[in-house]
Amino acid sequence: MSVEAAASHPGSDSGSAPRSVRVLVYSDDRTTRDKVKFGIGKRPERDLPPFEFVECATQYAVLKTLDAGGIDVVILDGEAVPAGGMGVARQLKDEIYQCPPVLVLTGRVQDAWLATWSRAEAAVPYPIDPVALSRTTVQLARQRLAATTD
């Protein structure tokens, strides 16, 4: 989905129902983005709406998409170049009002402390474990949906 399509997504306003859970996936590597999408799936939990993925390959696209609104969870590749996901996460937390929860894909388990520095709510290490990724993303989506309906 292009950035322009993301900005005009019909389910992004609070008046429409039911809507999908919109997950932004940032990585400069298409293979990584595909692994994330397939690892989570379109309907990871029956009690949640279907998941819709918005792919971004650049930091600029991430910022533009989040500025447009309608994103529920952000997944950032900590190994992306030239802008790594941890630096992008910290920038998002500083610049985006009511920033959605962020999950960072870290190079290794020991890098979880860097995700904390970036203010990400969660981290999943490489190699990507689809079960851990799905479980963590679902938890973040539930938190976001609960916060937006209160």
Side-chain angles (χ1 to χ4, degrees), residues 115-144:
T116 302
W117 167 85
S118 72
R119 295 189 222 140
E121 283 79 4
V124 172
Y126 283 106
I128 296 172
D129 174 0
V131 174
L133 177 63
S134 180
R135 183 181 310 123
T136 305
T137 305
V138 164
Q139 180 182 16
L140 294 176
R142 286 184 202 280
Q143 290 171 4
R144 177 67 172 195

Side-chain angles (χ1 to χ4, degrees), residues 64-94:
K64 188 171 179 174
T65 302
L66 284 171
D67 278 341
I71 299 296
D72 298 302
V73 177
V74 178
I75 300 176
L76 305 172
D77 181 1
E79 303 298 307
V81 291
M86 291 187 220
V88 173
R90 191 165 176 101
Q91 179 182 5
L92 296 178
K93 293 299 183 175
D94 285 342

